[in-house]
Every structure is written in C-alpha cells, then in structure tokens.
Amino acid sequence: MASIPKVQRAAVVQSTGSAVEVRDDYPVKQADELAPGECLIRLHCTGVCHTDLHAAKGDWPVPPKVPLVGGHEGVGEVVAIGKNTSNSPVKIGDRVGIKWIAYSCLNCENCLKGLEQNCSSVKLSGYTTDGTFCQYLVSWVNCVTPVPDGIDSEAAASILCAGVTVYRALKYSQSLPHEWVVLPGAGGGLGHLAIQYAKHFGLRVIAIDTGEEKRQLCEKLGADAWIDFKTSSDIVADVKKITGGPGAHAAVVTAASPSGYTQAVDYLREGGRLMAVGLPADAKLEASIFFTVFKNIQIIGSYVGNRQDAVEAVRIAAAGKVKVYYASKPLSQLAQTYEDMSQGKIAGRVVLTM
C-alpha cells in the first residue's frame, strides 16, 4: 500500500461566493478510516467545468456544502480500499475516474431504472461531498469509472463529465444517421466533444459559437456548418437555410445562456427534439406553447449520465473516436481559469494537474 500523507494540497472555497484558496493543510482520510465500500484515490489530474464555477458562486437553487472542495472530473489511482469491502469491482493500483455523481445507492427505483443521477441518496462530487480539486479523495468502489488503456488521464478527466453529458444527450435524442443536430456553445468544453460524438453517431452538425479560434476548432472537429452568434443577424433563418428549409432534427444546448434555448424551438423542424443540458444561473426556459405543441417539439432535460453512459463515453474516446482539446495547468491556476471561463475565453477544456 502506498504511503498516504496526513495533509494535502486542495483548492477550497471557504464560504459561498468567496474566492477559491489553494491550501497545503487540508486533511487526508487514512486507509484505516475508510468505511466498507469506500476507496481512497490519489488524483493525477482534474478537469474544470462550468458547474464548478456555479458551485463556488452559489448560483443554483440547491446550495453547495461549505467549506467546499470543488471539481468532479478527476482521474487517479486507487491507493486504499475500506476494510470489509466485499466484491469490489476495482483494486488497489487501478486507474479510475471520479464523476459528478460520486455516489448513488444503486437500489432505489430511480437507480434501478438507470437514473442513478436522480437517486434520493445521491452525493455530488464538488457540491455535496468533497470534489477533485485536491490530491487525495475518498470515493466509492461501485461508483468510480475504470479508465481503459488508450487514453491519457488528462483527456479521460474531461470525458467523465463533459463527454458523458453530451454523449448521453445525443444518445437519448434518438437522432438517426445523417440528421441535422444544432450545437449552441459548440466551441466550448462540452460543445467540442459533442461535435465529435455527433459525428460518431453519423449526424450532420451545425456549430453555433463565436470567434475565429472556436470556428477553426469546430470545423477541424468535423462540423458541417458554422454560425457565429455575434455576427449572425438571424440564427433561426441561418439554421433553416443550412438544412434546406425545414430546420434541424435536434438541438443539444450546452451553452450557459437562456437564448440558446429560446431560439431552438424556432429552428427545430416538426418532431424535433430539444435536449436541455447547459444550466444558466437564474434563467427560465421560455418557448412558444403554441408552436411547441403545433410542431410536436419534444423538450427533454438530460442530466449528466449513469455509470453505463460513462463507460460507453470513455470507451469511444479510448478507441480514438473522440479527442479532448485541453490546456494543462497547475492547481494554483484554478482562480484564473474561473475568470477566463466566466468571460468565455476558453476554447476546449482546462485540466489541472496535481
């Protein structure tokens, strides 16, 4: 068993809305303190998600715990497993991933239906339990995701939230090969992965975002068409023109902006599916009731993914079908990353190393 320190480096938000502080004295739970079913992970790296910024600021109706160690896209090595843990699917030395859903009971009605993310006993990484902005983290053997060979830890980290979230949304959109899907926020952390998963499904992609850097990234990843929302005078008309008139079959809205939702109902064709993924703070989903009904539009909330969704998303990436574009930075750069994220400056993803 690896030597486990008593304290570690961690990025902590002491109270909701306060600045994040990197400390070197955060306690580490020791191997003999782990409960059955728990495991201790020595983290290699962690992705940074817009959700982490919302958690630090306390933007959402469900308050996060404080003090808060945020983060929920971690990859690391199992260094200890709780005594009397039976039938563990992982062993010491395994490389595993930590997701937004840190724990679910696996036995309630929602869990048995595959809605583990809606478990009544759910624990959320970096929100209701300590997350991945640290060097050592307690997790649960039945809920971590094995990370296969063929993908580096930094790339796998982003797949564990951003990747699985858009993968699930596309999977449940029931889109068929050669259909049109619109991706508002296509150049961002979720969006650039959504383009690649959509192409893996055989879909035609309309990428919506702004700026030359993001345009180049989207087109490099296979987007069939590009719309810059800052220069377009009519996004709805642009989508209909690209699709030859009737509009898109589906939209996966990953942008943290309410306008992405409002426009989608207008540019979707009859029977279109709006997959709601991005979570703008303090925003309402507004749509014409008449045209939602008249056009048979389906509006479907898609909240991260379950354990099987995560396994599938990681396997596709490990097979080389999806590439994560990320910048690697030290944990000390988390505050600056939040600032860049809030200003929409980040193309792709930021991964923090430990």
Side-chain angles (χ1 to χ4, degrees):
M1 185 177 296
S3 176
I4 299 169
K6 298 289 187 182
V7 294
Q8 61 174 317
R9 172 167 289 188
V12 184
V13 175
Q14 196 62 34
S15 59
T16 300
S18 66
V20 64
E21 176 188 359
V22 177
R23 294 167 38 185
D24 288 314
D25 61 350
Y26 201 76
V28 178
K29 195 170 186 177
Q30 298 299 292
D32 59 1
E33 298 173 324
L34 296 172
E38 290 183 343
C39 57
L40 185 68
I41 313 297
R42 186 183 66 194
L43 287 163
H44 302 153
C45 59
T46 176
V48 184
C49 177
H50 219 106
T51 294
D52 301 318
L53 178 57
H54 287 304
K57 295 167 72 174
D59 282 337
W60 291 342
V62 179
K65 85 176 191 78
V66 286
L68 176 68
V69 175
H72 58 275
E73 298 181 347
V75 174
E77 176 187 351
V78 179
V79 294
I81 294 176
K83 187 178 179 181
N84 297 323
T85 296
S86 59
N87 301 317
S88 174
V90 296
K91 63 184 185 300
I92 291 175
D94 283 356
R95 187 170 60 139
V96 298
I98 311 297
K99 307 178 294 299
W100 172 245
I101 306 304
Y103 169 87
S104 54
C105 76
L106 307 181
N107 291 310
C108 68
E109 180 180 352
N110 283 337
C111 283
L112 293 172
K113 287 181 175 179
L115 292 172
E116 297 155 17
Q117 58 272 52
N118 297 115
C119 173
S120 58
S121 301
V122 73
K123 298 181 190 296
L124 306 175
S125 298
Y127 207 88
T128 64
T129 189
D130 277 354
T132 56
F133 295 154
C134 57
Q135 293 173 305
Y136 288 84
L137 176 67
V138 174
S139 192
W140 288 265
V141 296
N142 286 319
C143 297
V144 294
T145 300
V147 177
D149 295 336
I151 184 170
D152 63 44
S153 293
E154 289 79 7
S158 294
I159 295 296
L160 288 162
C161 179
V164 70
T165 296
V166 296
Y167 171 77
R168 175 187 170 83
L170 287 160
K171 176 179 172 181
Y172 285 82
S173 75
Q174 302 180 48
S175 298
L176 300 174
H178 209 58
E179 289 188 339
W180 285 102
V181 61
V182 180
L183 302 176
L190 277 75
H192 89 284
L193 297 175
I195 293 172
Q196 296 174 81
Y197 281 113
K199 300 308 291 183
H200 178 72
F201 284 130
L203 305 178
R204 290 184 288 178
V205 172
I206 300 174
I208 300 179
D209 215 313
T210 190
E212 182 62 18
E213 183 182 10
K214 291 185 177 181
R215 181 191 69 79
Q216 290 183 14
L217 176 61
C218 290
E219 291 180 350
K220 178 179 180 179
L221 296 177
D224 298 272
W226 161 263
I227 298 173
D228 190 315
F229 67 78
K230 284 190 176 179
T231 59
S232 171
S233 59
D234 191 333
I235 289 175
V236 173
D238 289 343
V239 170
K240 290 187 174 183
K241 181 179 179 181
I242 291 166
T243 60
H249 299 84
V252 176
V253 183
T254 63
S257 161
S259 62
Y261 290 97
T262 305
Q263 295 162 342
V265 171
D266 294 330
Y267 62 60
L268 287 171
R269 68 178 65 196
E270 288 76 4
R273 286 86 58 194
L274 167 55
M275 305 303 295
V277 175
L279 294 174
D282 244 358
K284 305 293 183 185
L285 198 164
E286 296 183 357
S288 163
I289 295 175
F290 179 86
F291 283 107
T292 300
V293 174
F294 190 69
K295 293 171 64 179
N296 278 304
I297 300 296
Q298 299 177 59
I299 300 176
I300 304 168
S302 185
Y303 174 44
V304 292
N306 59 30
R307 293 180 302 159
Q308 182 60 26
D309 296 326
V311 168
E312 292 171 5
V314 171
R315 283 178 178 169
I316 291 169
K321 305 298 183 182
V322 172
K323 180 178 180 181
V324 182
Y325 285 77
Y326 64 88
S328 183
K329 300 182 180 182
L331 183 62
S332 59
Q333 289 294 304
L334 177 58
Q336 184 59 53
T337 300
Y338 278 166
E339 181 64 24
D340 292 343
M341 185 177 284
S342 66
Q343 296 180 24
K345 291 181 178 179
I346 298 173
R349 209 73 174 161
V350 169
V351 177
L352 305 177
T353 58
M354 300 303 157

